[in-house]
Amino acid sequence: MKDLRRYLVLKYIQYLVLSSSNAVSTLLGLLGSLYATVILQSAKVSSKSTAVLISSLAKADILVAISVVSEVLLWTFDASSSSTAFTSALLQNLLMANSHGSCLLLSCVAFEAYLITFVPAQSRRFRTVRNARLTCRLLWSLVTAECALFLLDDLLRASSAPAPSHVLCKWLFGISSTAAALLRTLTYFLGILLRILNVYIYYKIFFSISNR
């Protein structure tokens, strides 16, 4: 449907074009996800793998809604500094989970569009609802593990500052810090790679359709 295509364009701009999120793009993304969720509940939308991926993409903005509401509550009730530090780290991880999960899902949608355009018959057995659901679960499991590592690193930094004294604490601090640093570097380069890959895929699709 045209409305879902417009929603995907909005999400591509929000996560793969803009260098950083802002209040306007976040609000438009939330409204777009709400609208897409309503559309996907309609009987007119067939249950296909693409619809499963878009549905997971729309539900990812629940994390943004939770983060926004929590920030408002913290500001309203003026929580203590210790709880605020932990909550702030948690909310930042929620926003990161939304961003990384959405980027991966958008890339899956782009890859599926590539398969539909160039190898529709050969890829039909892979483009199933079951495989789409498994892909979504795998992606969100990876993103959850990533955020758990970053949150653990943040907590260890906060509890061990300025320098951990216990041997086990030192060991955990060193392992989590190194792993988190490597993962941050990996996700940074992966984000660049996904941007390039998405541009290439839609470039190929556009010229393929134009030449028909």
Side-chain angles (χ1 to χ4, degrees):
M1 293 178 65
K2 290 184 178 180
D3 288 337
L4 290 179
R5 293 194 196 102
R6 294 191 187 100
Y7 170 68
L8 287 174
V9 170
L10 171 64
K11 283 299 178 181
Y12 276 110
I13 294 174
Q14 182 181 359
Y15 291 110
L16 295 173
V17 175
L18 296 177
S19 57
S20 60
S21 60
N22 54 66
V24 175
S25 64
T26 299
L27 178 60
L28 290 175
L30 286 171
L31 294 175
S33 293
L34 179 61
Y35 183 58
T37 301
V38 173
I39 292 176
L40 290 168
Q41 302 303 316
S42 171
K44 295 180 180 179
V45 179
S46 58
S47 179
K48 293 183 178 180
S49 55
T50 304
V52 173
L53 294 173
I54 296 176
S55 176
S56 184
L57 176 65
K59 291 174 182 176
D61 272 358
I62 293 175
L63 299 175
V64 178
I66 292 173
S67 181
V68 171
V69 171
S70 299
E71 287 284 359
V72 172
L73 292 175
L74 284 175
W75 178 78
T76 303
F77 294 102
D78 192 20
S80 63
S81 59
S82 58
S83 63
T84 301
F86 170 76
T87 307
S88 178
L90 179 60
L91 296 181
Q92 285 298 319
N93 276 278
L94 288 179
L95 292 176
M96 184 185 64
N98 169 72
S99 176
H100 290 184
S102 296
C103 288
L104 291 171
L105 288 167
L106 286 168
S107 298
C108 288
V109 172
F111 180 66
E112 187 171 52
Y114 181 89
L115 294 178
I116 292 172
T117 304
F118 295 102
V119 285
Q122 299 90 326
S123 65
R124 186 173 291 115
R125 63 190 179 117
F126 300 106
R127 294 183 287 106
T128 63
V129 171
R130 180 176 178 273
N131 286 341
R133 287 173 178 164
L134 288 174
T135 300
C136 291
R137 289 170 187 160
L138 175 62
L139 292 181
W140 283 114
S141 296
L142 292 174
V143 171
T144 300
E146 174 195 28
C147 292
L149 176 61
F150 288 153
L151 184 59
L152 174 62
D153 183 53
D154 291 337
L155 292 176
L156 286 175
R157 285 177 181 276
S159 63
S160 303
S165 56
H166 196 275
V167 176
L168 180 60
C169 191
K170 284 184 178 180
W171 183 77
L172 286 175
F173 182 84
I175 292 293
S176 67
S177 181
T178 302
L182 290 174
L183 189 55
R184 284 190 175 95
T185 303
L186 178 62
T187 54
Y188 173 76
F189 286 108
L190 180 60
I192 296 175
L193 179 62
L194 289 179
R195 284 174 169 83
I196 297 172
L197 181 62
N198 278 272
V199 170
Y200 172 77
I201 287 175
Y202 283 111
Y203 169 84
K204 293 282 291 183
I205 292 174
F206 175 77
F207 282 99
S208 174
I209 295 175
S210 299
N211 293 331
R212 290 178 183 177

